[in-house]
Amino acid sequence: MGRSRRTIPEELLLLALDPTTGTTAQPQSLDLGLAGAQLVELALAGRIAPDGDRIAVVMPRPTGDPTLDSALELLRRRGSPVRAVHWIGGPRLGLRQIYLAHLERCGMVHAVAGQMCGVLPTTRYQATDTAISRDIRSRLDSAIRTGVPPDPRTAALAALAHAVGLGKHLYPGNEGRSSRSRLRDLIRHDPMGGLVAHAVMDVQNGAVAQPRRGQAAGVPLQPQVQSQSHRGSMAHTAAH
């Protein structure tokens, strides 16, 4: 996978990054969205495919992207298709920090050290090229404004942005209400993006603990994603 194209997890994180504060919006759901974005990117790369509400590995060959290949290997080790809601709600925390470090290595953000309350060390992140963030945002704006069906990548990004609650961050206030509604509607334009976006929302609503019809009885569910609020008060303010 060449570096000429930004991945959907990278774009989702850049959308969530506040250029003024250097922190990320919707931190408690963003890790879930990043896990879902990895699935969409792997599907677009031909490595996985939806199987009902499950995800199946169809080509285990690495993509060349370390963060995606780590997820692909974990999926491969499962040996059988896994429900998207269980994968996204599994105990794999810290994706924001992993991707922030990844974006820093790629030169898309730079870290700014500081202190919180004059005591705790913090790290904020600023985009090194605001044109990248503007380009990502303009694709969403265009899809919302024109009503023309977007390409699968933009549709999936819109679906995930809605799922993690970035609508109010991107289109705030009463004046942004219609844009938030149209952002939500873009979810229908990409089946894989829609699948993972609904899985992200299901996890947030606690549905990960509810077996769906047809699930074999007695099969243990994976643990729900743990609360991440305590991480926000730790060293990295970017988790806020």
Side-chain angles (χ1 to χ4, degrees), residues 62-169:
T63 67
D65 182 304
T67 53
L68 292 176
D69 289 340
S70 176
L72 179 62
E73 177 62 13
L74 288 173
L75 285 165
R76 186 193 66 79
R77 290 178 184 176
R78 296 293 182 92
S80 60
V82 59
R83 283 183 61 198
V85 71
H86 286 172
W87 170 261
I88 291 169
R92 298 181 324 283
L93 303 179
L95 277 179
R96 275 168 297 138
Q97 289 303 325
I98 290 172
Y99 268 100
L100 283 168
H102 170 72
L103 291 180
E104 188 177 17
R105 287 193 300 272
C106 293
M108 283 190 269
V109 302
H110 68 275
V112 179
Q115 288 185 328
M116 182 167 56
C117 301
V119 179
L120 294 176
T122 64
T123 304
R124 299 174 185 268
Y125 293 87
Q126 301 291 337
T128 56
D129 186 353
T130 56
I132 294 176
S133 297
R134 287 197 303 270
D135 172 69
I136 298 168
R137 176 66 180 271
S138 69
R139 283 166 38 215
L140 289 186
D141 290 346
S142 177
I144 287 172
R145 183 180 63 255
T146 65
V148 176
D151 63 273
R153 303 183 70 83
T154 302
L157 180 63
L160 288 161
H162 167 70
V164 302
L166 288 183
K168 290 184 178 180
H169 168 69

